């Protein structure tokens, strides 16, 4: 016995669906006989890849440009759910995913379970798995509601795999006017400059934290990352302090990374951070506090001053 | 201008968390403190009211046992007063139930703006603010890193993966703020003393006209069926730097074929 239909809230841009969306498609496919996708925007540009990852249909609202989409997506999703009664709706743990799921939950009065990393089907209901306490324990939650199970999943919880199927049929859905609640408009977009490997898919990540002492010291993280062909990341503490942009944040609130090697420099290893990086294959930690929790997950731990160890390491790498 | 800040009182995150084995709820035996994530909302509200040239900041919170420790901290920062919804039936309430309760409390207060943290530091579902806006049928802007109010329009820099978007909507509206958006002030001694006398209105579910079946475990309509220990990562070698730690790292990088 399995679930009949799972609807995936698909996100992406002109270049196609996001990696997270394809991960959700793959997970949904392993649980349900039928997987459909819902795009709050133009679904046509995503139909090929969504189809190749198992979507039988792609429901599309058409462009919602200039609007903050959560409210609008939820209104259209509600109509979709009431017409087609999927057993579950999967969302990515993203800003728009959270906004949409939250608005939808209120509209259809159904619970949402967030931060999941796994899903299974047990005794006729969907069960989702959420890591707690920095990933030291996993909580398994069964949906007991009379309606679709709404679940949000963290990035990199599943491996995306194509089925080799063709493009999915795109089905236009009516936009639903949510009234005053939908009146937030986007008046400008600002992108920070990005260079080098991206955090999401870099094989090596070098991150800095509060132990760097001052914003200028982050330059050595960038330099070390450059020498290792790595992406540079950061703990929440120095993002909050404004040293580096949010796009670099690794952790609960930032990015989840699972590189071959993660180098944590001056990072103590707060729960918030561990959740985002403990899935790394190998971990090197440099920290002056021998009691720092980061050493509990490191394959190689160096108890020492980042201001001495990193420059020496950079020097040694340069002279090779 | 009237600004309401939703605040959560949580167990001290510096202490190790634990689930109660009989209920699988987070243990909340110790004193609850103001969630640091919410201190940014409180500070932002105080600054917006100052910039508007007047108004007040009220707090809304929910807790099963009448806890006020965290509220007193926010009152000491400068908030005017607080509403605490407290009822033993609230234990085990999920995000949607929390939003139903907080929105019912807020609907009695007619604010211009509602602020909340993007997510709490203990549950971090990150859905309650948007659900509150939904329940109040109000526009909302999440992930704010800067907020400005001009007349009856709120203008926000909303954090995105790539950078930020400029987003605006009419008030009344709800805005959720990211950590680090402002530097929360430390309560002064005077503030702490004044906070002791500030009014905290305590309401139960009856007072809000909420049926207890809509909250707690029944309202959550989900069940923790098991809790397992995650596969622990084995800690590896830990060495103290004697001036040659970089050689150790180079060796390890070589083993991993990173260099």
């Amino acid at each position: 016995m399995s679930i009949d239909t799972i609807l995936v809230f698909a996100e992406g841009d002109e270049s196609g669906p996001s990696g997270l969306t394809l991960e959700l498609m793959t997970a949904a496919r392993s649980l349900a006989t039928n997987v459909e996708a819902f795009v709050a925007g133009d679904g046509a540009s995503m139909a090929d890849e969504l189809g190749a990852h198992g979507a039988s249909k792609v429901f599309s609202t058409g462009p919602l440009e200039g609007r903050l989409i959560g409210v609008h997506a939820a209104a259209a999703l509600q109509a979709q759910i009431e017409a087609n009664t999927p057993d579950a709706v999967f969302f990515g743990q993203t800003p728009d995913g959270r906004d949409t799921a939250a608005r939808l939950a209120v509209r259809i009065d159904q619970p949402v379970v967030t931060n999941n990393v796994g899903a299974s089907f047990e005794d006729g209901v969907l069960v989702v798995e959420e890591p707690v306490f920095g990933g030291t324990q996993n909580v398994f939650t069964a949906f007991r509601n009379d309606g679709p199970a709404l679940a949000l999943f963290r990035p990199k919880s599943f491996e995306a795999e194509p089925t080799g199927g063709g493009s999915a049929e795109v089905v236009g859905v009516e936009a639903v006017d949510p009234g005053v609640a939908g009146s937030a408009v986007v008046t400008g977009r600002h992108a920070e400059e990005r260079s080098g490997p991206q955090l999401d898919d870099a094989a090596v990540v070098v991150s800095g934290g509060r132990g760097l002492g001052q914003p200028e010291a982050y330059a050595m993280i960038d330099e070390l990352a450059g020498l290792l062909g790595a992406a540079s990341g950061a703990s929440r503490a120095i993002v909050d302090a404004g040293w580096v942009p949010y796009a670099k944040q690794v952790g609960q609130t930032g990015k989840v990374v699972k590189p071959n090697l993660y180098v944590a420099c001056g990072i103590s290893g707060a729960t918030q951070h561990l959740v985002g990086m403990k899935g790394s294959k190998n971990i090197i930690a440099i920290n002056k506090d021998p009691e720092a929790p980061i050493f509990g997950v490191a394959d190689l731990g160096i108890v020492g001053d980042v201001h001495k160890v990193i420059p020496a390491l950079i020097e040694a790498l340069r002279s090779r | 201008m009237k600004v309401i800040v939703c605040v959560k009182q949580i167990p001290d995150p510096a202490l190790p968390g634990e689930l109660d084995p009989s209920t699988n709820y987070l243990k909340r035996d110790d004193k609850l403190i103001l969630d640091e994530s919410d201190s940014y909302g409180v500070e932002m509200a105080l600054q917006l009211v100052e910039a508007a040239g007047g108004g007040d900041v009220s707090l809304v919170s929910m807790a099963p046992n009448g806890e006020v420790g965290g509220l007193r901290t926010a009152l000491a920062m400068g908030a005017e007063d607080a509403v605490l919804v407290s009822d033993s039936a609230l234990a085990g309430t999920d995000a949607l139930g929390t939003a139903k309760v907080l929105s019912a409390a807020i609907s009695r207060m007619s604010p211009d703006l509602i602020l909340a943290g993007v997510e709490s530091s203990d549950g971090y579902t990150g859905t309650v603010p948007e659900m509150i806006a939904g329940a109040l049928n109000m526009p909302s802007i999440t992930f704010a890193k800067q907020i400005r109010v001009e007349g009856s329009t709120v203008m926000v820099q909303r954090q995105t993966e790539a950078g930020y978007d400029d987003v605006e909507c009419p008030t009344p509206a709800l805005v959720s703020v990211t950590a680090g958006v402002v530097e929360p002030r430390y309560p002064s001694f005077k503030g702490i003393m004044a906070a002791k006398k500030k009014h905290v209105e305590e309401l139960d579910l009856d007072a809000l006209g909420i049926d207890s079946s809509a909250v707690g475990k029944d309202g959550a309509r989900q069940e923790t069926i098991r809790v397992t220990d995650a596969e622990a990562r084995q800690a590896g070698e830990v060495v103290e730097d004697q001036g040659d730690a970089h050689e150790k790292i180079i060796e390890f990088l070589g083993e991993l074929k990173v260099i």
Side-chain angles (χ1 to χ4, degrees), chain B:
Chain B
M1 183 165 66
K2 183 165 183 64
V3 184
I4 290 177
V5 188
C6 302
V7 299
K8 188 171 184 183
Q9 307 177 91
I10 64 168
D12 188 342
L15 305 171
E18 207 184 324
L19 298 177
D20 183 330
S22 63
T23 59
N24 283 320
Y25 302 156
L26 182 64
K27 275 196 182 175
R28 296 172 189 278
D29 303 340
D30 295 312
K31 190 173 160 259
L32 301 186
I33 63 170
L34 176 66
D35 187 345
E36 193 197 349
S37 302
D38 292 326
S39 63
Y40 300 99
V42 175
E43 178 63 39
M44 179 57 83
L46 294 169
Q47 290 187 14
L48 287 172
V49 164
E50 278 160 32
D56 54 31
V57 175
S58 297
L59 310 170
V60 173
S61 190
M62 175 181 121
N65 300 310
E67 295 90 342
V68 293
L71 286 176
R72 292 287 172 209
T73 304
L75 291 170
M77 288 172 71
E80 203 63 36
D81 50 24
V83 173
L84 174 69
V85 184
S86 190
D87 199 305
S88 57
L90 290 171
T93 301
D94 74 337
L96 183 59
T98 303
K100 286 176 182 173
V101 168
L102 294 179
S103 59
I106 291 168
S107 66
R108 305 157 77 244
M109 301 163 79
S110 52
D112 299 300
L113 191 64
I114 304 165
L115 299 184
V118 164
E119 60 187 4
S120 64
S121 308
D122 60 344
Y124 53 82
T125 75
T127 50
V128 172
E130 187 72 8
M131 286 173 174
I132 291 172
L136 295 168
N137 195 31
M138 220 179 239
S140 59
I141 305 174
T142 48
F143 292 89
K145 54 180 224 150
Q146 203 190 83
I147 307 175
R148 209 150 45 89
V149 178
E150 270 180 29
S152 58
T153 303
V154 55
M155 280 163 278
V156 166
Q157 288 185 359
R158 181 180 192 248
Q159 195 168 274
T160 62
E161 282 293 301
Y164 70 91
D165 289 348
D166 299 309
V167 186
E168 59 182 59
C169 71
T171 57
L174 178 143
V175 179
S176 76
V177 301
T178 58
V181 64
V182 281
E183 185 68 39
R185 66 192 71 183
Y186 282 105
S188 63
F189 179 71
K190 211 175 127 196
I192 293 168
M193 296 312 287
K196 291 182 178 171
K197 297 197 189 91
K198 286 180 174 170
H199 184 53
V200 177
E201 183 185 9
E202 202 174 307
L203 299 171
D204 60 10
L205 292 173
D206 272 352
L208 291 174
I210 294 177
D211 193 282
S212 62
S213 66
V215 297
K217 189 177 189 302
D218 290 347
R221 290 165 288 166
Q222 56 195 265
E223 186 189 353
T224 300
I225 53 169
R226 61 181 177 274
V227 179
T228 61
D229 287 329
E231 208 179 300
R233 252 196 108 95
Q234 292 300 318
E237 187 186 0
V238 179
V239 296
E240 194 155 337
D241 179 31
Q242 308 288 352
D244 58 356
H246 58 281
E247 289 167 18
K248 195 94 197 165
I249 297 175
I250 296 273
E251 195 182 307
F252 190 58
L253 293 174
E255 280 169 31
L256 298 179
K257 300 196 167 36
V258 169
I259 52 173

Side-chain angles (χ1 to χ4, degrees), chain A residues 27-42:
Chain A
R29 223 166 64 212
S30 71
L31 295 166
T33 45
N34 179 37
V35 178
E36 298 169 344
F38 180 94
V39 179
D42 174 24

